[in-house]
């Protein structure tokens, strides 16, 4: 019994010495997520010229109700005249109003990425870099009123074509009465000449026949 106790004590002692001789393990350094790159500040806004001020006067300010329950908000920049601030979700963009040749109003992002196009019946927000629409069918209250007025307006006269009326069938052509064809002019002249020759021959033969009868 004493022998077993000594053996167990020796084993425990050797195990303790081995654990003390082993160098401590280094703790693993926690991985630190890289910090996102800060977006560069937008370029400073230049003073608006006369064309930009005219375009800014045509911009519809306020909230736009878009498809899929999205909204965008357009407001005038309170510091820089002629510039607009467009808010979509949690992003805000400084935009320059530009009047296009077609009559549409373009709000161009100063960073060259976003673009708002305002036409008569709706507006849309586009990502120029991706080349796609982010939000479409955005309608301002002014545009909504114009759309409703267009629905109630009388139709504009066109080419006289009414799609609701059946297509008129053409009237049947009247058959012309068939008449004998007139002989050619040359044949008529020949017949008249032959008739005249026969009459002259008959006239000349009549005195001769009378003389023969007298004799």
């Amino acid at each position: 019994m004493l022998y077993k106790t000594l053996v167990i004590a020796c084993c425990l002692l050797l195990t303790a010495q081995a654990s003390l001789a082993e160098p401590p393990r280094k703790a693993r350094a926690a991985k630190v997520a890289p910090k996102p790159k800060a977006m560069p500040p937008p370029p400073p806004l230049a003073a608006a010229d006369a064309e930009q001020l005219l375009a800014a006067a045509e911009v519809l300010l306020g909230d736009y109700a878009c498809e899929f329950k999205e909204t965008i908000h357009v407001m005038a920049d309170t510091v820089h005249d002629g510039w607009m601030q467009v808010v979509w979700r949690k992003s805000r963009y400084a935009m320059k109003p530009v009047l296009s040749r077609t009559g549409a109003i373009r709000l161009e992002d100063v960073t060259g990425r976003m673009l708002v196009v305002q036409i008569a019946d709706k507006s849309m927000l586009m990502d120029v870099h991706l080349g796609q629409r982010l939000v479409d069918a955005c309608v301002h209250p002014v545009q909504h009123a114009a759309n409703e007025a267009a629905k109630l307006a009388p139709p504009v006269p066109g080419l006289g074509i009414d799609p609701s009326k059946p297509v008129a069938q053409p009237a049947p052509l009247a058959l012309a009465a068939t008449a004998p064809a007139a002989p050619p002019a040359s044949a008529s002249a020949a017949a008249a000449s032959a008739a005249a020759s026969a009459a002259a021959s008959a006239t000349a033969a009549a005195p001769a026949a009378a003389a023969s009868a007298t004799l």
Side-chain angles (χ1 to χ4, degrees), residues 156-170:
V156 179
L159 300 177
I161 301 175
D162 190 353
S164 61
K165 294 182 179 180
V167 179
Q169 298 296 330

Side-chain angles (χ1 to χ4, degrees), residues 60-66 70-72 74 118 123 138-140 143:
L60 299 176
L61 304 178
D63 293 327
Y64 291 72
C66 310
E70 292 274 5
T71 58
I72 61 175
V74 180
Q118 171 189 314
S123 300
C138 299
V139 180
H140 187 271
Q143 294 170 323

Side-chain angles (χ1 to χ4, degrees), residues 40-167:
L45 303 181
D49 55 11
E51 293 183 0
Q52 182 175 344
L53 293 175
L54 290 176
E58 300 294 331
V59 177
L60 299 176
L61 304 178
D63 293 327
Y64 291 72
C66 310
E67 62 180 359
F68 306 120
K69 298 182 180 180
E70 292 274 5
T71 58
I72 61 175
H73 182 77
V74 180
M75 57 185 174
D77 195 308
T78 57
V79 178
H80 305 86
D81 291 338
W83 289 87
M84 298 293 156
Q85 296 288 333
V86 177
V87 180
W88 175 58
R89 295 182 178 177
K90 296 182 179 180
S91 301
R92 184 169 179 166
Y93 309 96
M95 294 193 169
K96 175 183 178 181
V98 178
L99 180 60
S100 64
R101 296 181 179 179
T102 59
I105 303 295
R106 296 166 55 92
L107 301 181
E108 300 177 351
D109 182 13
V110 292
T111 62
R113 171 131 195 194
M114 296 298 178
L115 173 66
V116 174
V117 180
Q118 171 189 314
I119 56 179
D121 58 341
K122 68 174 183 177
S123 300
M124 64 192 75
L125 176 64
M126 303 180 62
D127 189 323
V128 179
H129 290 182
L130 298 178
Q132 65 183 13
R133 301 178 186 179
L134 299 179
V135 190
D136 197 1
C138 299
V139 180
H140 187 271
V142 174
Q143 294 170 323
H144 177 73
N147 295 338
E148 294 299 322
K151 294 178 182 179
L152 301 177
V156 179
L159 300 177
I161 301 175
D162 190 353
S164 61
K165 294 182 179 180
V167 179

Side-chain angles (χ1 to χ4, degrees), residues 177-183:
T178 57

Side-chain angles (χ1 to χ4, degrees), residues 187-207:
S188 299
S193 177
S197 298
S201 300
T203 303

